[in-house]
Amino acid sequence: MLSNSVLTIQGWIKATFLGWLLGVVLILVLSSLLDSAGIEHMQFYLGVGMGTGVGFTQWLFLKKSLKMDVRWFLYSILGMGLPFIIVDLLPEGMIAHKIATGISMGALTTGVMQHLLLKIQTRQAILWIPYSFIGWTMGVLTVFIIDYTMALKPILSNNLLLALINLLLILGGGLVLGFITGFFWKHIDTSSK
């Protein structure tokens, strides 16, 4: 049964944001390692890095409140990583937007897998799938806004300010993911099982 005693929306958002931050660090590390090994044009490290970071901190949070086992963390890595691996293995040009496809498939896969753990806790677990999908998708879309900040360069004339805006967009993705998926915890009936 779900317990609201430890599970707070603010705690969830914080855990998700810290996981996103960890995911960004892991992506940078994995990208550097792959580049130094001569592995290029692969995107799987995005899903694996972010799935690892977010899944780990969410699991630490859920472990305290729901006694969630380590599968939450593992499902996050597999759910976000496996679709990116599949997309990377497809012939070049078969998919026009590899990152967008990897993210949307990863968000859906992660939501489905984690829902299997939540359905033990609540009959409303099926709602986790759309919350997870929308949360991940909107979180990453927040980061993609960076593609348009270059239009601000003539206006700002300060590269440091532009870098700060881009950093805030990158980190903002974690807040968006935490906030949207946090609504799941707020709107489910905690006494439904």
Side-chain angles (χ1 to χ4, degrees), residues 49-70:
M50 208 43 90
T52 300
V54 172
F56 180 68
T57 57
Q58 286 180 345
W59 169 65
L60 290 177
F61 179 75
L62 291 174
K63 183 170 82 160
K64 295 175 192 170
S65 54
L66 300 181
K67 309 292 186 240
M68 185 63 67
D69 67 55
V70 74

Side-chain angles (χ1 to χ4, degrees), residues 42-54:
M42 303 296 267
Q43 306 299 325
F44 72 90
Y45 65 91
L46 298 172
V48 171
M50 208 43 90
T52 300
V54 172

Side-chain angles (χ1 to χ4, degrees), residues 71-189:
R71 287 180 294 171
W72 183 274
F73 172 45
L74 298 176
Y75 287 174
S76 184
I77 297 169
L78 285 173
M80 289 306 292
L82 194 57
F84 274 95
I85 292 170
I86 292 169
V87 168
D88 279 343
L89 294 175
L90 293 174
E92 193 64 39
M94 187 171 181
I95 295 178
H97 306 287
K98 283 181 143 184
I99 294 176
T101 302
I103 291 162
S104 59
M105 295 307 298
L108 186 60
T109 305
T110 301
V112 168
M113 293 172 78
Q114 290 174 336
H115 136 269
L116 297 173
L117 299 172
L118 290 171
K119 72 180 188 176
I120 298 165
Q121 309 273 345
T122 178
R123 281 181 238 143
Q124 296 163 318
I126 195 74
L127 295 175
W128 178 251
I129 298 169
Y131 276 106
S132 177
F133 179 80
I134 294 167
W136 276 104
T137 303
M138 295 305 292
V140 173
L141 283 177
T142 303
V143 176
F144 280 176
I145 294 172
I146 289 173
D147 291 344
Y148 302 100
T149 59
M150 291 309 288
L152 298 174
K153 194 170 186 171
I155 300 167
L156 295 177
S157 73
N158 185 339
N159 286 338
L160 189 58
L161 186 56
L162 187 60
L164 178 63
I165 291 169
N166 288 343
L167 178 63
L168 290 174
L169 287 170
I170 291 168
L171 298 180
L175 292 174
V176 170
L177 173 60
F179 184 77
I180 291 172
T181 54
F183 274 102
F184 169 80
W185 304 110
K186 186 175 181 178
H187 291 107
I188 59 169
D189 179 4

